[in-house]
Amino acid sequence: MDTRPSGRSGPVLVTGSHRSGSTWVGAVLALAPGAGYLHEPFNTRTRKGVCDVRFPTDLTYVTRRNEAPYVGPLRDTLDWRYALAAETRRLRTPRDLARMLRDFAYFETMRRRGARPIMKDPLALFSAEWLSERFDMPVVVIIRHPAAFAASLMAVGWVKFPFRVLRDQESLMRERLAPFRDEVAAAAAGRPEPLDVAVLLWRTMHHHIRLLRRDHPDWIFVRHEDLSLDPAAGFRAIYARLGLDFSTGAEAGVGAYCGTGGPLAKLSLFGVRRAVVRDSRANVRAWRNRLTPAQVEAVRIGAADVWPDFYAEADW
């Protein structure tokens, strides 16, 4: 991984495919003094108070051409300005009120501290270039082995992806995913098998990552496996490139979230308990126990047009 400073000091975007470890990476980066964790503004289920914008779908492709509805709300979010009025209109239950008060307090605390947002959002993957340009955001892109991605999707049951969200974004299909137009259309019209869903998703997202890496050599691209095998060195390098202080507390946090033994650690961010990888080294090859040899071979063959740009035969 390149160790040169990114030269940018704006909010940080942590992205990649879903199930790539972006929550883990975002959480560890948010341990830096002066940083604050920001969870998925591009997620269509994110509360209006966090980001008062209506994305038409998850994985929305934002560019200069269609940015008008998104610039202002996202700027407010990155400035830690909670949309209290918008959230108040959506209150339905006492639980909604409690959530609003919790999130408002968190945003206010971060704003008063002048915290640097660490925006974790795999759903912003296709908009990463726009975010980087518009908000001067350094970008961390996480790459994950296709078999690990497939095994993770299947383990959590995320195997019915609505491919229409890609198909119906004509500019995305034309500018970023043109080689997959027919396959995406067929998947949107049919009911592909779970493993086929995982393979096509991995290929489309990592093809886009391949283009980003070609066009943005100054961004930070890191394989989930490399970071898992040596998290202390890996995170220290990322901290340095982002201009974050790898303090004693941050170093201790890396050890806590990436050490061996015990159950999954839990990290409370935004008042929500989120799982963070505990035994990061063991997690690297967990897919071998979750997939059959036949499934592994199907993924290896099915994604062979993309994975050689990120992995070697020995990684299988």
Side-chain angles (χ1 to χ4, degrees):
M1 182 172 64
D2 190 350
T3 58
R4 293 172 297 177
S6 70
R8 294 183 174 188
S9 58
V12 175
L13 173 62
V14 179
T15 192
S17 68
H18 50 294
R19 311 305 297 175
S20 66
S22 58
T23 299
W24 172 51
V25 174
V28 173
L29 295 181
L31 294 171
Y37 180 87
L38 186 56
H39 187 76
E40 298 188 3
F42 272 65
N43 192 321
T44 56
R45 292 170 292 282
T46 291
R47 305 291 297 189
K48 287 289 187 179
V50 172
C51 189
D52 186 17
V53 66
R54 184 179 296 278
F55 287 103
T57 183
D58 287 334
L59 294 170
T60 296
Y61 179 48
V62 182
T63 67
R64 287 281 186 169
R65 293 189 302 274
N66 66 340
E67 69 175 7
Y70 312 117
V71 176
L74 279 166
R75 191 178 301 281
D76 285 343
T77 297
L78 294 170
D79 286 342
W80 300 111
R81 297 191 180 278
Y82 189 80
L84 190 61
E87 186 62 28
T88 299
R89 290 192 293 269
R90 293 172 60 88
L91 296 180
R92 299 293 184 271
T93 68
R95 185 177 180 180
D96 290 341
L97 176 61
R99 181 190 296 112
M100 181 185 75
L101 294 175
R102 178 202 68 200
D103 291 348
F104 175 71
Y106 179 79
F107 266 57
E108 277 296 290
T109 299
M110 293 299 104
R111 185 177 66 81
R112 290 174 182 174
R113 291 177 180 174
R116 185 181 183 185
I118 306 297
M119 176 177 150
K120 171 265 180 181
D121 203 335
L123 297 169
L125 175 62
F126 292 120
S127 299
E129 286 185 303
W130 174 76
L131 286 164
S132 178
E133 177 187 355
R134 172 56 79 178
F135 299 106
D136 194 32
M137 298 180 78
V139 181
V140 180
V141 183
I142 307 164
I143 298 154
R144 194 167 192 192
H145 193 285
F149 174 77
S152 184
L153 279 190
M154 295 172 73
V156 297
W158 293 3
V159 292
K160 293 183 179 180
F161 182 80
F163 281 95
R164 65 181 180 279
V165 307
L166 303 181
R167 179 200 64 192
D168 294 347
Q169 296 188 74
E170 175 55 35
S171 58
L172 172 63
M173 294 305 304
R174 180 179 66 253
E175 297 171 12
R176 310 302 296 183
L177 303 180
F180 307 96
R181 183 182 292 275
D182 292 344
E183 291 179 82
V184 168
R191 293 184 178 180
E193 292 296 317
L195 201 65
D196 295 331
V197 169
V199 170
L200 182 54
L201 273 176
W202 189 90
R203 290 168 63 220
T204 54
M205 292 180 176
H206 284 76
H207 170 72
H208 176 65
I209 292 172
R210 176 167 60 184
L211 298 178
L212 292 176
R213 190 172 65 174
R214 178 197 68 190
D215 296 337
H216 300 282
D218 58 317
W219 289 11
I220 300 170
F221 295 88
V222 59
R223 298 195 314 180
H224 181 277
E225 297 77 23
D226 296 334
L227 199 53
S228 296
L229 289 172
D230 193 352
F235 279 112
R236 184 184 295 276
I238 294 173
Y239 266 63
R241 290 205 59 196
L242 294 173
L244 297 171
D245 179 10
F246 197 66
S247 65
T248 301
E251 186 171 10
V254 170
Y257 299 150
C258 311
T260 59
L264 286 178
K266 296 286 184 178
L267 176 66
S268 181
L269 293 167
F270 254 116
V272 179
R273 302 287 282 179
R274 307 192 189 283
V276 179
V277 174
R278 177 72 171 170
D279 188 345
S280 62
R281 293 182 65 86
N283 190 55
V284 170
R285 292 285 181 168
W287 54 269
R288 290 189 175 276
N289 297 321
R290 294 177 177 175
L291 299 179
T292 67
Q295 288 174 321
V296 171
E297 184 64 6
V299 174
R300 190 185 72 82
I301 294 173
D305 56 337
V306 180
W307 67 254
D309 284 297
F310 301 105
Y311 295 94
E313 285 285 354
D315 294 313
W316 291 90

